[in-house]
């Protein structure tokens, strides 16, 4: 009896709760926070399968993404019930998502017309080359004055163009006015607010700013940019602020999570913007680095977009209300961070889990002169070099898998150093410490290495789910919800752990210089224009080194047969 009373009194004391859907590249999570204390009360996570139909292609199933959201909501609601927490206390839901990943679906059937093309995907490389070749002076920054972005395979417009050109179902749906385009946030919000039965087709300014179709100054879809890529504006979602009520949840009432029906979806931020909000980086000059599939360093630049001279992106950080001003950020984007762990595990079988990587690397404590540049999708910031490919160099007979594991962790840290250097040059005010978050921050060796390589302290919050927290904050603060105050005096004090540099700067600089040398070796590996083989696929000979290798192997075989025939 006392337990029940304690539980019910505890339930009353909790006050309003806010939930967040965090749909990332490798997993989906649903998390529930206390709006007054920012405490994480419960969550559930489901991994997402990635498919690689061809070299450089990365896809995910939109229906699996949606199903994973439903599963996470259902399991979390079950956990809350077990904890005696009243689900009806959830007052709002925020959405945060992997950015740039591109979907097209049929608004009449609600069915996706193709798999989601993931941000890492490289199939549009030849499209990007053609677009750059058409610009005056072959300038990849031709659209930067409007978009803040270089023309790159990374962003949604070229992926959408590819879908319209290469997938008959998409082309037909566009022609017959049945197609809807969206990034993952748009797909989820549309489905969760009713889908083909009145679902809301919208996105927020942060996600829109990653498409190359959005003018970051006017905060609207740009007719000239749409014309440049040949995208009809009618298929685009309506752009909203990051914090307002977009629509109400519609969920089957027979489910435990059916209790979420009627709750407003009132927050929407691309994952890196959400992490910036979750880290409370509301002041000009504050920055955070997120270690997920990729690595993303964002620095708040206030109400004015700042253009980079050092290979960084200019992006919308957030707009926390319809009548609130937009804030901007400089961003350094690294394609492969946590993805290198998955590669070592799935492709090479060197490790069985991410925890094993830390143990393996710690067992040697050095890469022993081995350097790993994981340019699996080319190099992003600050190089924007799609022709680069991954290399491991500096190998000797002494090198073993532990050294390669250590080099993989160092690679994440060196890539962060490169974007931090670029950011310090652009802003003229060096960061004195780095706030970090994301799945990889649980690796303590990585955090210490990062402090050593940057020569500044690294600060990690004790609650690692800052991306989801940012989405929850935006949802809870929305007009019409107003259960979460974003006033500086009301924001909860965050407890954190600090990693101080432990090596001398000379050693750090020496290792960084060797890394830069390795990066140069990874450049210009692939030819940029694939050679067609008549059926729209690239020929194997479009990879120059591979072409030489195969031709050389053929000649050696012919020579060997000739010599064998003479004996």
């Amino acid at each position: 009896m006392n337990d029940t009373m304690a539980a019910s009194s505890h339930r009353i004391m909790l006050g309003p709760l806010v939930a967040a859907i965090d749909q990332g590249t490798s997993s989906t999570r649903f998390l529930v926070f206390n709006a007054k204390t920012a405490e994480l009360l419960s969550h559930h996570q489901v991994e997402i399968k990635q498919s690689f139909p061809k070299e450089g292609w990365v896809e995910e199933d939109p229906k699996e993404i949606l199903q994973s959201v439903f599963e996470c909501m259902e399991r979390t609601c079950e956990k809350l019930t077990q904890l005696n927490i009243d689900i009806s206390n959830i007052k709002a839901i925020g959405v945060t998502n992997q950015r740039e990943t591109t979907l097209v679906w049929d608004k009449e059937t609600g069915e996706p017309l193709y798999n989601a093309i993931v941000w890492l995907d490289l199939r549009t490389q030849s499209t990007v080359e053609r677009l750059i070749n058409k610009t005056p002076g072959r300038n990849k920054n031709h659209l930067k004055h409007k978009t803040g972005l270089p023309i790159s395979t990374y962003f949604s417009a070229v992926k959408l163009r590819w879908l319209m050109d290469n997938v008959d179902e998409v082309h037909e749906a566009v022609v017959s006015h049945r197609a809807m385009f969206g990034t993952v946030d748009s797909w989820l919000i549309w489905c969760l607010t009713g889908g083909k039965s009145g679902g809301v087709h919208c996105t927020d300014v942060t996600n829109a700013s990653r498409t190359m179709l959005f003018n970051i100054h006017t905060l609207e879809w740009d007719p000239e940019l749409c014309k440049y890529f040949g995208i009809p504006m009618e298929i685009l979602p309506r752009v909203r602020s990051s914090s307002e009520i977009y629509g109400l949840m519609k969920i089957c009432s027979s489910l435990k999570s059916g209790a979420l029906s009627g709750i407003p979806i009132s927050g929407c931020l691309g994952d890196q913007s959400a992490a910036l909000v979750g880290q409370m980086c509301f002041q000009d000059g504050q920055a955070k680095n997120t270690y997920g599939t990729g690595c993303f360093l964002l620095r708040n630049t206030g109400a004015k977009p700042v253009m980079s001279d050092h290979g960084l992106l200019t992006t919308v950080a957030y707009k926390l209300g319809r009548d609130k001003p937009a804030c901007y950020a400089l961003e350094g984007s690294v394609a492969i961070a946590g993805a290198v762990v998955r590669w070592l595990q799935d492709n090479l079988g060197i490790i069985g889990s991410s925890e094993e990587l830390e143990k393996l690397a710690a067992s040697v404590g050095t890469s022993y002169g081995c350097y790993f540049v994981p340019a699996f999708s080319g190099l992003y910031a600050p190089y924007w070099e799609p022709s680069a490919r991954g290399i491991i160099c500096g190998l000797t007979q002494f090198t073993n898998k532990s050294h390669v594991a250590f080099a993989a962790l160092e690679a994440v840290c060196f890539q962060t150093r490169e974007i931090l250097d670029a950011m310090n040059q652009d802003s003229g005010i060096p960061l004195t410490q780095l706030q970090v978050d994301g799945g990889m921050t649980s690796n303590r060796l990585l955090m210490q290495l990062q402090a050593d390589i940057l020569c500044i302290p690294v600060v990690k919050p004790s609650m690692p789910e800052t991306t989801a927290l940012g989405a929850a904050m935006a949802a809870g603060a929305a007009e019409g919800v107003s259960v979460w105050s974003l006033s500086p005096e009301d924001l909860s004090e965050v407890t954190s752990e600090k990693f101080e540099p432990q090596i001398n700067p000379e050693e750090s600089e020496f290792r960084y210089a060797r890394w830069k040398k390795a990066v140069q070796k990874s450049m210009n590996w692939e030819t940029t224009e694939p050679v067609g083989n008549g059926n729209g696929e690239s020929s194997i000979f479009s990879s120059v080194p591979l072409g030489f290798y195969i031709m050389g192997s053929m000649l050696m075989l012919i020579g060997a047969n000739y010599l064998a025939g003479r004996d």
Side-chain angles (χ1 to χ4, degrees):
M1 181 69 182
N2 286 348
D3 287 348
T4 313
M5 283 173 68
S8 60
S9 65
H10 178 57
R11 199 161 61 203
I12 294 160
M13 284 170 67
L14 278 178
L17 312 178
V18 179
I21 296 162
D22 181 354
Q23 204 299 298
T25 314
S26 55
S27 70
T28 299
R29 300 203 249 314
F30 187 71
L31 308 94
V32 177
F33 296 91
N34 182 327
K36 295 295 175 227
T37 63
E39 179 194 358
L40 175 61
L41 299 173
S42 185
H43 75 288
H44 190 77
Q45 178 170 345
V46 171
E47 286 212 351
I48 296 289
K49 286 190 202 77
Q50 291 177 359
S51 58
F52 309 95
K54 295 183 187 178
E55 188 189 346
W57 291 31
V58 190
E59 296 179 3
E60 291 179 353
D61 177 354
K63 287 175 132 175
E64 186 195 339
I65 289 173
L66 181 62
Q67 197 48 49
S68 71
V69 171
F70 285 130
E71 187 182 337
C72 286
M73 290 196 295
E74 187 67 10
R75 297 284 91 81
T76 305
C77 286
E78 285 172 5
K79 290 175 185 178
L80 288 171
T81 305
Q82 285 164 10
L83 291 167
N84 235 340
I85 294 170
D86 192 346
I87 298 166
S88 67
N89 276 0
I90 298 173
K91 302 302 179 192
I93 295 172
V95 174
T96 181
N97 57 289
Q98 51 171 311
R99 303 168 304 168
E100 300 97 14
T101 295
T102 301
L103 300 91
V104 180
W105 64 95
D106 186 316
K107 65 182 172 190
E108 290 173 13
T109 65
E111 290 293 308
L113 296 170
Y114 192 77
N115 275 344
I117 300 183
V118 177
W119 57 276
L120 281 166
D121 187 281
L122 284 179
R123 76 188 66 190
T124 55
Q125 196 171 320
S126 55
T127 310
V128 165
E129 278 302 311
R130 278 198 295 277
L131 287 167
I132 292 172
N133 288 339
K134 279 196 316 191
T135 65
R138 299 183 64 182
N139 178 13
K140 64 186 166 200
N141 292 319
H142 180 61
L143 306 174
K144 194 174 171 183
H145 65 290
K146 282 189 172 187
T147 64
L149 314 172
I151 301 170
S152 161
T153 57
Y154 183 20
F155 308 109
S156 311
V158 283
K159 301 179 198 297
L160 178 54
R161 185 67 258 164
W162 186 92
L163 286 166
M164 289 166 62
D165 290 340
N166 293 278
V167 180
D168 290 342
E169 293 85 349
V170 172
H171 175 74
E172 285 159 17
V174 169
V175 169
S176 58
H177 309 290
R178 288 180 293 109
M180 282 184 161
F181 153 77
T183 40
V184 171
D185 56 308
S186 299
W187 165 244
L188 292 180
I189 292 171
W190 186 79
C191 291
L192 293 171
T193 55
K196 60 184 180 181
S197 310
V200 177
H201 188 212
C202 69
T203 188
D204 90 301
V205 289
T206 69
N207 280 296
S209 75
R210 312 297 292 190
T211 59
M212 279 204 297
L213 301 171
F214 185 73
N215 186 315
I216 61 171
H217 307 282
T218 64
L219 301 178
E220 291 174 340
W221 298 122
D222 190 287
E224 284 182 13
L225 291 170
C226 292
K227 191 176 173 187
Y228 182 85
F229 290 103
I231 307 292
M233 293 182 79
E234 66 177 47
I235 73 172
L236 305 177
R238 183 181 159 205
V239 182
R240 315 273 288 266
S241 78
S242 312
S243 178
E244 61 178 273
I245 295 174
Y246 312 113
L248 306 180
M249 287 281 281
K250 289 184 182 166
I251 291 192
C252 177
S253 57
S254 62
L255 296 169
K256 185 78 77 191
S257 52
L260 301 175
S261 275
I263 293 173
I265 299 177
S266 54
C268 180
L269 290 152
D271 52 8
Q272 303 314 319
S273 287
L276 195 73
V277 171
Q279 286 264 30
M280 324 281 179
C281 294
F282 294 124
Q283 303 301 314
D284 186 346
Q286 289 183 308
K288 65 89 210 171
N289 196 35
T290 299
Y291 300 77
T293 299
C295 213
F296 303 90
L297 177 61
L298 270 73
R299 183 170 188 152
N300 189 326
T301 62
K304 284 202 176 72
V306 174
M307 293 295 164
S308 171
D309 296 320
H310 299 93
L312 303 179
L313 310 176
T314 303
T315 199
V316 180
Y318 51 80
K319 185 179 189 293
L320 295 173
R322 266 184 293 203
D323 305 321
K324 298 273 171 46
C327 276
Y328 295 87
L330 275 174
E331 173 174 328
S333 322
V334 168
I336 305 291
V340 80
V341 182
R342 202 162 174 169
W343 183 81
L344 289 171
Q345 184 177 324
D346 298 348
N347 294 37
L348 294 196
I350 282 179
I351 52 168
S353 68
S354 51
E355 293 76 29
E356 214 177 302
L357 177 68
E358 184 173 1
K359 283 191 200 130
L360 202 58
S363 70
V364 285
T366 172
S367 69
Y368 207 80
C370 167
Y371 288 82
F372 186 169
V373 183
F376 303 156
S377 297
L379 287 167
Y380 282 18
Y383 302 101
W384 298 105
E385 185 47 74
S387 71
R389 286 296 176 271
I391 63 162
I392 302 175
C393 56
L395 301 175
T396 67
Q397 282 179 306
F398 183 73
T399 311
N400 63 33
K401 65 181 183 179
S402 301
H403 300 120
V404 173
F406 195 94
L409 292 181
E410 274 194 320
V412 175
C413 300
F414 286 132
Q415 290 181 105
T416 298
R417 166 81 190 261
E418 289 190 306
I419 51 180
L420 186 72
D421 281 359
M423 202 158 276
N424 286 340
Q425 286 174 294
D426 273 328
S427 68
I429 308 161
L431 279 180
T432 53
Q433 63 175 34
L434 184 64
Q435 289 176 237
V436 300
D437 57 77
M440 284 190 91
T441 59
S442 61
N443 185 322
R444 297 179 63 80
L445 174 60
L446 177 74
M447 294 295 94
Q448 186 55 56
L449 272 175
Q450 188 66 87
D452 290 345
I453 286 165
L454 296 180
C455 305
I456 59 172
V458 166
V459 181
K460 172 195 162 188
S462 47
M463 200 288 288
E465 302 289 356
T466 49
T467 301
L469 177 61
M473 288 164 67
E479 190 183 339
V481 177
S482 302
V483 295
W484 202 308
S485 169
L486 299 184
S487 302
E489 64 274 12
D490 294 330
L491 294 173
S492 354
E493 192 61 40
V494 178
T495 56
S496 57
E497 182 177 4
K498 190 181 270 197
F499 295 82
E500 299 278 358
Q502 289 180 354
I503 64 172
N504 66 52
E506 290 74 28
E507 186 191 338
S508 180
E509 291 304 322
F510 173 77
R511 280 155 64 179
Y512 185 46
R514 293 287 287 273
W515 158 264
K516 298 282 259 190
K517 192 174 173 183
V519 169
Q520 290 308 313
K521 304 279 186 201
S522 76
M523 301 272 205
N524 303 312
W525 198 259
E526 284 287 335
T527 54
T528 42
E529 272 289 354
V531 180
N533 62 5
N535 62 1
E537 293 180 14
S538 318
S539 157
I540 198 162
F541 293 99
S542 66
S543 163
V544 174
L546 189 58
F548 278 135
Y549 174 75
I550 291 169
M551 288 299 289
S553 302
M554 284 175 174
L555 290 169
M556 283 170 72
L557 281 168
I558 292 163
N561 284 335
Y562 174 69
L563 289 169
R566 287 181 59 176
D567 286 345

